[in-house]
Amino acid sequence: MAKLPKNVRIGRNGRVGILKKVPRDLWHHPQYRSRSKVIERSTGAINLKEGVRIALAMLKDLEQEFASARMELSLLSESDPSAEPDLAEVDNHDTGTDDPTAKDTEATKAQDQRLVPPLSRRRVAEKTRRDIMDAAMEEFAAKGLSGARVDAIAARTRTTKPTIYYHFGSKEKLYAAVMEEAYGGVRSKEQGLHLRELPAEEAMRQLVEVTFDHHAEHPEYVRLVSVENIEMGRHITGRTSLIERNAIAIDTVRDLLVRGEKEGCFRPGIDPWYLHFMISSFCFMRVSNRYSWRAVFDMDLWEEKHAKAQREMIVETILRYVKH
């Protein structure tokens, strides 16, 4: 039988597979820390030629996996030098498995670090975190906290569960971060309007318009809030940062009402909480009830002609309500 390529093996069941030791510099990575330091995987193929072809592809993918793990460890050691793996300690846990590629570990690591400078590694971490958040928002919006799977989020981002836990700690903490960002999105839009620089009536108009547009552009936000209400708000209750961020919404409305009253265009005595509720409820319901509305009334609220009319209607409704 022809000599097999390095790290390619034939198992006891006759199927071709790979057997490769995890490089020692990665033994403290969350993905490998609590597992065997030898990776053994089967191609499922009995035919030698086909099995070797699949095995070589698997080994190539494994090297890419190792390279990504090295970048993550580099970022961890930069942010917390005390967290850098002690390779001397790692050596004491050697499995004793003979790996002809072990001597290449340091050269591979050095090459990876030359290719990815510290600033780029930082950006890789930021992008990884951003990708995880985007994928998690889709997963949680579709299935809620209980139905969402971290494996599915990892698959969407081509990363790993340990990487997600490294960045966020747990599935629940990731969900909380997603909820906080979902609520924060509309608040950021409001703050970006610089409403204090506008007359009160024009500022109120723009506030209503941006609220309408944000809900229309981010149906995932509406789904997340709907799911959390089914859960009775138990995952976001008591989160100080969330409460403080959303208090800004009431402060914004209150400020507009006070300024409008001073300018003589708004009537006194309007409750900012109820006004915020009036604006939000209309913008929210046209997204949350789109499909049931269409089923019952055979009318798509999102058709361009309807959407334009609704946007104008809510603006006019609010301005009529606040004026003398």
Side-chain angles (χ1 to χ4, degrees):
M1 183 173 62
K3 185 178 179 181
L4 293 172
K6 185 168 56 178
N7 299 118
V8 177
R9 302 286 187 271
I10 297 179
R12 292 178 180 177
N13 57 6
R15 301 183 189 279
V16 180
I18 62 172
L19 182 68
K20 186 171 177 64
K21 185 178 179 181
V22 176
R24 289 180 297 173
D25 59 308
L26 296 181
W27 284 9
H28 278 210
H29 187 282
Q31 185 171 352
Y32 310 111
R33 184 184 297 139
S34 59
R35 300 182 181 181
S36 167
K37 301 305 181 287
V38 177
I39 294 176
E40 186 173 8
R41 297 174 183 171
S42 173
T43 65
I46 295 178
N47 180 276
L48 183 59
K49 184 177 180 179
E50 177 66 10
V52 168
R53 183 186 68 78
I54 297 172
L56 291 176
M58 290 172 67
L59 287 168
K60 185 177 179 180
D61 289 342
L62 196 56
E63 289 301 334
Q64 292 178 346
E65 181 182 306
F66 289 160
S68 296
R70 284 194 183 94
M71 283 191 285
E72 290 163 11
L73 280 180
S74 297
L75 287 164
L76 178 60
S77 63
E78 283 177 10
S79 60
D80 181 7
S82 66
E84 188 170 1
D86 183 351
L87 294 183
E89 179 185 345
V90 172
D91 284 343
N92 293 333
H93 294 81
D94 198 331
T95 60
T97 304
D98 181 24
D99 181 11
T101 65
K103 62 183 179 181
D104 299 329
T105 298
E106 292 305 319
T108 304
K109 178 183 178 184
Q111 181 181 16
D112 288 339
Q113 291 180 336
R114 284 197 300 271
L115 291 173
V116 188
L119 182 59
S120 296
R121 291 199 295 272
R122 219 169 285 121
R123 286 172 179 164
V124 167
E126 291 170 359
K127 184 179 185 304
T128 298
R129 186 179 175 89
R130 179 70 266 159
D131 289 346
I132 292 170
M133 285 286 287
D134 291 342
M137 186 167 288
E138 292 182 17
E139 181 74 6
F140 288 133
K143 303 174 183 176
L145 175 60
S146 58
R149 296 176 60 247
V150 176
D151 283 328
I153 296 170
R156 286 173 183 262
T157 56
R158 298 185 67 183
T159 185
T160 62
K161 286 176 68 174
T163 300
I164 292 175
Y165 291 137
Y166 164 70
H167 283 284
F168 293 94
S170 68
K171 178 182 175 182
E172 289 72 20
K173 289 180 180 178
L174 173 58
Y175 176 80
V178 165
M179 289 300 300
E180 193 157 336
E181 177 161 304
Y183 273 101
V186 67
R187 303 289 85 89
S188 298
K189 289 276 186 68
E190 292 165 358
Q191 296 305 300
L193 292 175
H194 305 293
L195 298 178
R196 292 184 178 180
E197 301 171 10
L198 301 172
E201 183 175 338
E202 177 58 28
M204 184 67 76
R205 174 184 294 275
Q206 288 203 20
L207 177 64
V208 176
E209 289 176 345
V210 79
T211 304
F212 183 96
D213 293 342
H214 182 82
H215 283 75
E217 293 165 4
H218 296 280
E220 72 281 358
Y221 162 71
V222 174
R223 289 195 296 269
L224 282 167
V225 174
S226 297
V227 169
E228 185 59 16
N229 274 280
I230 292 173
E231 297 281 347
M232 299 183 182
R234 62 192 179 93
H235 303 297
I236 61 173
T237 298
R239 293 190 64 84
T240 304
S241 56
L242 198 63
I243 294 170
E244 291 174 349
R245 173 171 276 189
N246 282 278
I248 296 173
I250 306 303
D251 292 339
T252 299
V253 175
R254 181 183 292 112
D255 179 67
L256 287 181
L257 291 172
V258 170
R259 288 204 293 120
E261 188 177 342
K262 289 180 179 178
E263 293 172 16
C265 57
F266 294 167
R267 61 186 176 85
I270 299 174
D271 189 317
W273 297 92
Y274 286 164
L275 185 60
H276 174 70
F277 178 72
M278 185 187 296
I279 298 169
S280 297
S281 59
F282 181 92
C283 298
F284 190 96
M285 182 175 173
R286 66 175 298 273
V287 180
S288 65
N289 288 34
R290 176 189 181 185
Y291 299 105
S292 58
W293 187 278
R294 186 171 62 187
V296 173
F297 297 109
D298 193 26
M299 173 186 176
D300 189 349
L301 295 171
W302 280 25
E303 284 185 13
E304 186 176 353
K305 63 178 181 179
H306 296 314
K308 183 179 179 181
Q310 292 158 34
R311 191 174 189 265
E312 292 172 355
M313 184 179 74
I314 185 60
V315 171
E316 184 178 355
T317 298
I318 296 302
L319 290 179
R320 285 192 181 192
Y321 178 76
V322 299
K323 285 182 179 180
H324 277 292

